[in-house]
């Protein structure tokens, strides 16, 4: 390697190291420094920090911003690990239950706290969440990191779950309070109660538009079902007729059959 190439490499390395060394990098704009601390995918964190700490000097304090970002990243990772853990526990409990007889499963539940570090009620929640995720009701990537919140989602009826999807509530950071509020607002059948007091016309229009979209989807699905039933009837008609004829021959009066012969 030539001396000039080596010099360029050392210069490039020095410039790279200077990015994290204020003494080498000189005076930088605080916002540019903050942006360098956070991945492009997490740029919204900067906005959140400035809004949460508005009126204080924290957003311009590089070290404190760095601490918040570092803590957030660690918590996000642990939150995801927690979700993976309770899903794995739920799947393990389901697999174990499948190996036991009904009587043995009852005994297992009764002695849950002697065998596992949680109660039978908690074990039931783990199993239900795992079934919801593996069954596709809750996408794995959208499952909250809190098993209490995830369990609340499993309690939603299908119409309630549809409303939750429309409102963007099936996401990792949804809160237990948001899901419980949805369950209060939307009846099991999926229809929200008529609001009392002053009406919010914009919300009512939005709800009406959502319901029209659902009606169209359901109408199309019902039409597809009816078409398929008609197809199946056409395919089964000769078979049903043949079976009916055989059944008639088998059950009719032998004397009448002999007379016809």
């Amino acid at each position: 390697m030539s001396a000039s190439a080596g010099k360029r490499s050392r210069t490039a390395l020095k410039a790279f190291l200077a990015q994290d060394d204020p003494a080498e990098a000189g005076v930088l704009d605080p916002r540019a420094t903050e942006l360098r601390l956070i991945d492009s995918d997490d740029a919204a964190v900067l906005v959140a920090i400035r809004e949460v700490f508005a009126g204080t000097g924290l957003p311009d304090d590089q070290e404190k911003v760095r601490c918040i970002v570092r803590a957030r990243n660690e918590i996000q990772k642990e939150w995801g690990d927690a979700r993976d853990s309770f899903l794995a526990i739920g799947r393990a409990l389901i697999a174990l239950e499948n190996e036991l007889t009904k009587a043995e499963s009852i005994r297992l539940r009764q002695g849950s706290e002697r065998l596992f570090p949680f109660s039978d009620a908690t074990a039931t929640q783990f199993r239900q969440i795992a079934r919801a995720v593996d069954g596709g009701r809750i996408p794995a990537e959208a499952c909250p990191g809190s098993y209490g919140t995830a369990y609340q989602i499993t309690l939603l009826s299908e119409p309630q779950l549809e409303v939750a999807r429309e409102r963007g509530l099936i996401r990792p950071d949804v809160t237990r309070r948001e899901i419980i509020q949805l369950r209060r607002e939307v009846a099991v059948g999926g229809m929200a109660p008529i609001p009392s007091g002053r009406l919010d016309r914009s919300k009512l229009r939005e709800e009406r538009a959502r319901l029209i979209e659902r009606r169209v989807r359901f109408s199309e699905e019902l039409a597809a079902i009816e078409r398929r039933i008609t197809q199946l009837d056409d395919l089964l008609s000769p078979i049903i007729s043949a079976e009916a004829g055989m059944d008639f021959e088998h059950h009719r009066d032998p004397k009448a059959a002999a007379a016809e012969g």
Side-chain angles (χ1 to χ4, degrees), residues 199-240:
L199 299 177
D200 187 330
R201 294 184 179 180
S202 63
K203 287 187 176 180
L204 293 178
R205 289 193 184 98
E206 290 175 2
E207 181 181 1
R208 184 176 184 278
R210 288 198 302 268
L211 291 175
I212 290 174
E213 289 180 5
R214 290 178 63 189
R215 182 174 66 183
V216 171
R217 290 200 302 271
F218 292 154
S219 297
E220 292 174 348
E221 184 177 354
L222 180 60
I225 291 173
E226 293 292 348
R227 287 195 299 270
R228 184 56 179 166
I229 290 175
T230 300
Q231 291 174 349
L232 293 174
D233 287 345
D234 292 340
L235 292 171
L236 292 172
S237 180
I239 300 174
I240 294 173

Side-chain angles (χ1 to χ4, degrees), residues 130-231:
R131 289 192 179 100
V133 170
D134 294 342
R137 292 194 78 224
I138 306 176
E141 66 278 6
C143 183
S146 163
Y147 76 83
T149 304
Y151 177 66
Q152 288 297 320
I153 295 178
T154 70
L155 297 179
L156 298 177
S157 66
E158 285 303 321
Q160 287 174 329
L161 190 60
E162 180 71 16
V163 174
R165 293 191 186 103
E166 292 172 354
R167 295 186 183 181
L169 296 180
I170 308 303
R171 63 179 197 273
D173 62 343
V174 69
T175 64
R176 187 170 181 269
R177 179 179 297 179
E178 287 178 294
I179 299 300
I180 292 176
Q181 182 64 29
L182 171 71
R183 292 178 62 196
R184 289 172 179 168
E185 289 180 5
V186 183
V188 174
M191 297 297 104
I194 300 299
S196 59
R198 188 174 180 178
L199 299 177
D200 187 330
R201 294 184 179 180
S202 63
K203 287 187 176 180
L204 293 178
R205 289 193 184 98
E206 290 175 2
E207 181 181 1
R208 184 176 184 278
R210 288 198 302 268
L211 291 175
I212 290 174
E213 289 180 5
R214 290 178 63 189
R215 182 174 66 183
V216 171
R217 290 200 302 271
F218 292 154
S219 297
E220 292 174 348
E221 184 177 354
L222 180 60
I225 291 173
E226 293 292 348
R227 287 195 299 270
R228 184 56 179 166
I229 290 175
T230 300
Q231 291 174 349

Side-chain angles (χ1 to χ4, degrees), residues 2-15:
S2 66
S4 60
K7 184 177 180 179
R8 285 197 301 272
S9 297
R10 287 192 295 272
T11 301
L13 177 60
K14 184 176 180 180

Side-chain angles (χ1 to χ4, degrees), residues 45-217:
V45 177
L46 283 177
V47 176
I49 290 175
R50 289 194 173 278
E51 290 177 351
V52 170
F53 295 98
T56 73
L58 187 144
D60 296 318
D61 188 320
Q62 176 182 341
E63 187 55 38
K64 288 184 179 179
V65 171
R66 188 191 299 273
C67 288
I68 292 174
V69 173
R70 185 184 302 119
R72 176 186 178 278
N73 290 341
E74 183 176 350
I75 291 170
Q76 288 284 83
K77 178 183 180 302
E78 295 299 332
W79 198 248
D81 290 346
R83 176 191 61 198
D84 294 341
S85 294
F86 66 68
L87 283 175
I89 291 171
R91 289 163 179 154
L93 289 170
I94 292 172
L96 176 60
E97 195 174 62
N98 291 336
E99 293 294 326
L100 304 179
T101 65
K102 186 174 182 180
E104 291 167 342
S105 293
I106 293 174
R107 291 292 188 94
L108 179 69
R109 293 189 173 193
Q110 291 173 342
S112 180
E113 293 186 20
R114 299 185 62 185
L115 296 171
F116 309 121
F118 42 75
S119 66
D120 176 52
T122 302
T124 298
Q125 293 184 31
F126 288 154
R127 283 191 293 266
Q128 191 155 326
I129 296 167
R131 289 192 179 100
V133 170
D134 294 342
R137 292 194 78 224
I138 306 176
E141 66 278 6
C143 183
S146 163
Y147 76 83
T149 304
Y151 177 66
Q152 288 297 320
I153 295 178
T154 70
L155 297 179
L156 298 177
S157 66
E158 285 303 321
Q160 287 174 329
L161 190 60
E162 180 71 16
V163 174
R165 293 191 186 103
E166 292 172 354
R167 295 186 183 181
L169 296 180
I170 308 303
R171 63 179 197 273
D173 62 343
V174 69
T175 64
R176 187 170 181 269
R177 179 179 297 179
E178 287 178 294
I179 299 300
I180 292 176
Q181 182 64 29
L182 171 71
R183 292 178 62 196
R184 289 172 179 168
E185 289 180 5
V186 183
V188 174
M191 297 297 104
I194 300 299
S196 59
R198 188 174 180 178
L199 299 177
D200 187 330
R201 294 184 179 180
S202 63
K203 287 187 176 180
L204 293 178
R205 289 193 184 98
E206 290 175 2
E207 181 181 1
R208 184 176 184 278
R210 288 198 302 268
L211 291 175
I212 290 174
E213 289 180 5
R214 290 178 63 189
R215 182 174 66 183
V216 171
R217 290 200 302 271

